[in-house]
Amino acid sequence: MKELLKDFVNAKVIIWTMDKIYFGIFDGVEVCSYDKKISTLDGILELRAFDGVKELYYWKEGSRVYEFKGDEINSTTKMLGKVIKCENGWSKVDDGRGGKFYLPLDKKDGEIIIEKCDIIGYHKKTHQAYIKGYAIKDYAIKEIR
């Protein structure tokens, strides 16, 4: 994992496994989540590391790095949940459906937002644009207006 993420030190990370999702930060050696340190790719189905300039997307069959160029469509997604506790730089979130997770953010009030870019592709014959994927730029807790 250290070699895969070498250009993403201090980047935010989301990891999907068979039974959990981890939010964390890569410290140069391992991904540090609230209650676990992850140093190998064993058991990881999907991983996204992002620093606002580029995103690494890893899945079991391969990986790609996407650098934000400005020709993407910026979008945001509001996550379900409410921050119920903050401690030691981590916010505990309850999604209201039985799920709980920790974000490496120390802020209690606001909506949980994932900022992403939809990657545009073009069909060769028709020149029709389509969204061929997405890359995550950031996640944050933003003030409710």
Side-chain angles (χ1 to χ4, degrees), residues 123-140:
H123 290 285
K124 290 181 182 179
K125 289 184 180 179
T126 65
H127 304 289
Q128 179 71 29
Y130 66 97
I131 296 173
K132 66 179 183 179
Y134 71 93
I136 298 175
K137 285 180 113 172
D138 198 7
Y139 54 77

Side-chain angles (χ1 to χ4, degrees), residues 39 45 47 59 65 77 85 104 124:
S39 58
L45 301 176
L47 175 149
W59 64 100
V65 173
T77 300
K85 179 171 77 170
K124 290 181 182 179

Side-chain angles (χ1 to χ4, degrees), residues 28 47 50 73 83 86 104 106:
L47 175 149
F50 43 94
I73 300 170
V83 177
C86 293
D106 195 11

Side-chain angles (χ1 to χ4, degrees), residues 34-47:
Y34 177 77
D35 60 351
K36 185 172 183 168
K37 305 249 188 234
I38 303 168
S39 58
T40 71
L41 296 170
D42 296 339
I44 293 176
L45 301 176
E46 189 174 319
L47 175 149

Side-chain angles (χ1 to χ4, degrees), residues 1 21 25 51 56 84 91 95 125 127 130 133 139:
M1 178 176 299
I21 297 174
I25 296 175
D51 61 9
L56 168 77
I84 56 175
S91 294
D95 73 2
K125 289 184 180 179
H127 304 289
Y130 66 97
Y139 54 77

